[in-house]
Amino acid sequence: MKTRAVRLYNENDLRLEEFELPEITDEEILVEVISDSVCMSTYKAAILGKNHKRVPQDVDVHPIIVGHEFAGNIVKVGEKLKGQFKEGNKFALQPALNYKGTMWSPGYSYRYFGGDATYNVIPREVMEIGCFLNYQGEAYYEASLAEPMSCIIGAFHASYHTSMGSYEHRMGIVEGGKMALLAAAGPMGLGAIDYALHADRRPSLLVVTDVDEEKLSRARTIFTEQEAKKCGVELLFVNTKDVEDVPAKLRSLTGDTGFDDVFVFTPIKPVVEQGDQILGRDGCLNFFAGPTDPKFGAHLNLYNVHYGSTHIMGTTGGNTEDLLESLKLTEEKKINPAVMVTHIGGLDAVAETVLNLPHIPGGKKLIYTHINMELTAIEDFAKLGVNNTHFACLADIVANNKGLWCAEAERYLLEKWRAK
């Protein structure tokens, strides 16, 4: 079976190539990849090459397929797995394998296993630890986006709180508490807003900050204060760009008690320090955004750690239970991962997209691996539709869905671009 895939050879060296996949063993599965959403973590692997913890040292000789937020169809099942998986079914994937303590993961470490490809071989260990999942949902992109949503869900579950005189850590955000999402008008922040509003455990106050008014405006359109109130949440958006004393401004929104749960969505020192300064007693700060600088640091108030029981933590990725929760909430229409997506593209757009990701505005970039399509902003569909019938049709579809990508748009794209 031949596959087309984007492979990493070393720092800043991504190549779209066609090559032969090996025959699967009795304990492997051959899959067709349909969609993959591009993660900032892939950019970090692409610019670091061998210096990335998950990338093998021989990547220049044995390149790896990039991409880890993917979904598709099961093509061929190894003999020993036929009772668990059926050819023709859809699949979803939890890429955070943590197999026997290793950091190996699809999109970083495997020669034949990654999201930016037309076909993949799923290795034995993925099924062994239950990270390859049968998927019953309608849209492939929702399964792709279940991975980034699982990272958000995992972060919410990993927050913890304590009581004076007790050594018990109560896991999860404070129900009915005060929450701040800092630098959160980007794709992961939008996913966090969605989850905070619609999960079973919710804050009573949710403050979302950013310095980009265009992003904040889009967030306000997607998540209105009226909708939040129906969920029992007071939702406030704050542009901190011209605020002289950001911590004081944010603390004032809590009656100066501070926040129970704070999530920081950018690896910028002043923002991390703002998060620390707005914590209330027993407040939990999750440094969610992973830095590329191994020496990255910030000034934290250890007096408050001692006397105010504040605590700092970080999470990277979710587990399989988190991913299953994401799929369940999506299928129940409680959350909509499409709020994260702002661009659509084909396999030919991956290399340029990944290497330039920090400089491309908007949210998630969603790739459909069986088409050739320049990375295109959803908001540009109507303009491009003047001279292109396909874009005109897609523009009409998303316009009827609050400007968001959706299952109908995916079906149209796959049918028309495949036939083109």
Side-chain angles (χ1 to χ4, degrees):
M1 168 70 75
K2 286 188 180 296
T3 188
R4 291 179 74 225
V6 178
R7 298 199 284 184
L8 175 68
Y9 281 81
N10 214 330
E11 298 173 25
N12 299 300
D13 189 356
L14 291 174
R15 308 177 195 175
L16 175 57
E17 301 174 319
E18 184 174 73
F19 55 94
E20 196 77 27
L21 290 173
E23 285 293 321
I24 65 168
T25 69
D26 288 348
E27 297 178 288
E28 295 178 332
I29 295 176
L30 176 69
V31 299
E32 177 189 28
V33 179
I34 301 297
S35 64
D36 177 70
S37 53
V38 180
C39 179
M40 186 60 75
S41 296
T42 301
Y43 163 76
K44 294 170 187 175
I47 64 169
L48 292 173
K50 294 180 183 180
N51 294 317
H52 193 283
K53 290 182 180 295
R54 297 182 189 272
V55 175
Q57 290 301 299
D58 65 348
V59 68
D60 53 333
V61 179
H62 300 299
I64 57 92
I65 301 175
V66 297
H68 59 274
E69 300 175 359
F70 61 103
N73 303 313
I74 298 174
V75 176
K76 186 178 180 181
V77 179
E79 287 298 322
K80 293 184 178 180
L81 297 169
K82 287 188 179 294
Q84 294 177 257
F85 303 99
K86 183 178 179 182
E87 293 165 6
N89 282 2
K90 295 175 183 174
F91 75 88
L93 179 79
Q94 170 52 271
L97 305 180
N98 301 314
Y99 183 68
K100 294 184 177 180
T102 71
M103 294 193 72
W104 275 45
S105 179
Y108 305 92
S109 317
Y110 288 88
R111 296 172 63 185
Y112 307 116
F113 179 31
D116 290 313
T118 51
Y119 294 91
N120 265 206
V121 174
I122 310 297
R124 171 189 54 78
E125 58 265 27
V126 182
M127 281 68 73
E128 180 184 327
I129 57 179
C131 287
F132 187 76
L133 307 169
N134 286 303
Y135 172 58
Q136 306 296 326
E138 177 185 7
Y140 294 99
Y141 78 87
E142 291 182 334
S144 284
L145 294 169
E147 195 283 332
M149 281 302 305
S150 78
C151 298
I152 294 164
I153 292 170
F156 276 55
H157 290 332
S159 287
Y160 68 95
H161 297 275
T162 62
S163 298
M164 293 182 68
S166 170
Y167 301 118
E168 177 187 4
H169 286 185
R170 300 187 304 277
M171 302 308 298
I173 67 166
V174 173
E175 186 167 8
K178 299 169 183 178
M179 176 184 290
L181 308 178
L182 305 188
M188 298 302 280
L190 294 178
I193 298 169
D194 199 8
Y195 185 70
L197 294 179
H198 301 112
D200 290 340
R201 184 183 296 193
R202 307 168 191 170
S204 61
L205 172 66
L206 178 60
V207 177
V208 180
T209 78
D210 210 289
V211 295
D212 188 323
E213 186 56 39
E214 185 176 345
K215 287 183 178 179
L216 282 168
S217 179
R218 181 172 183 265
R220 290 188 190 97
T221 301
I222 297 171
F223 303 107
T224 65
E225 293 181 11
Q226 292 74 21
E227 178 197 350
K229 285 181 180 178
K230 292 179 182 177
C231 300
V233 181
E234 180 184 4
L235 174 61
L236 302 175
F237 292 97
V238 180
N239 188 331
T240 58
K241 183 178 180 180
D242 298 318
V243 176
E244 184 175 346
D245 188 340
V246 174
K249 168 67 176 178
L250 299 181
R251 289 186 68 93
S252 71
L253 301 176
T254 69
D256 207 37
T257 62
F259 291 87
D260 300 298
D261 296 283
V262 176
F263 295 82
V264 176
F265 285 87
T266 186
I268 296 176
K269 181 175 180 285
V271 182
V272 179
E273 292 173 349
Q274 289 168 13
D276 176 56
Q277 292 167 32
I278 65 174
L279 289 172
R281 178 168 188 83
D282 187 46
C284 184
L285 169 63
N286 187 311
F287 178 49
F288 186 84
T292 55
D293 180 2
K295 295 182 180 180
F296 178 82
H299 178 81
L300 302 176
N301 190 319
L302 297 180
Y303 180 93
N304 287 340
V305 170
H306 185 83
Y307 288 106
S309 300
T310 60
H311 31 278
I312 316 296
M313 62 173 305
T315 52
T316 174
N319 61 27
T320 304
E321 288 75 20
D322 299 325
L323 191 135
L324 288 170
E325 181 180 350
S326 173
L327 291 172
K328 181 175 182 290
L329 291 173
T330 301
E331 290 169 3
E332 293 174 350
K333 307 298 182 185
K334 291 183 178 179
I335 63 172
N336 181 11
V339 301
M340 294 189 278
V341 178
T342 58
H343 292 69
I344 307 296
L347 192 61
D348 58 325
V350 169
E352 183 178 0
T353 298
V354 169
L355 293 175
N356 291 286
L357 196 57
H359 308 295
I360 305 174
K364 276 284 185 183
K365 283 67 184 173
L366 181 62
I367 299 298
Y368 287 94
T369 64
H370 285 271
I371 68 170
N372 287 329
M373 178 182 176
E374 183 179 352
L375 187 72
T376 307
I378 293 173
E379 66 180 12
D380 290 340
F381 284 176
K383 178 176 63 178
L384 295 169
V386 173
N387 298 309
N388 184 306
T389 303
H390 291 327
F391 279 122
C393 290
L394 286 172
D396 289 340
I397 293 170
V398 298
N400 291 325
N401 192 49
K402 296 176 67 174
L404 300 177
W405 194 246
C406 59
E408 184 183 355
E410 179 180 88
R411 285 194 303 272
Y412 181 90
L413 183 77
L414 292 176
E415 291 172 6
K416 300 303 179 182
W417 252 268
R418 280 177 182 269
K420 190 176 178 182

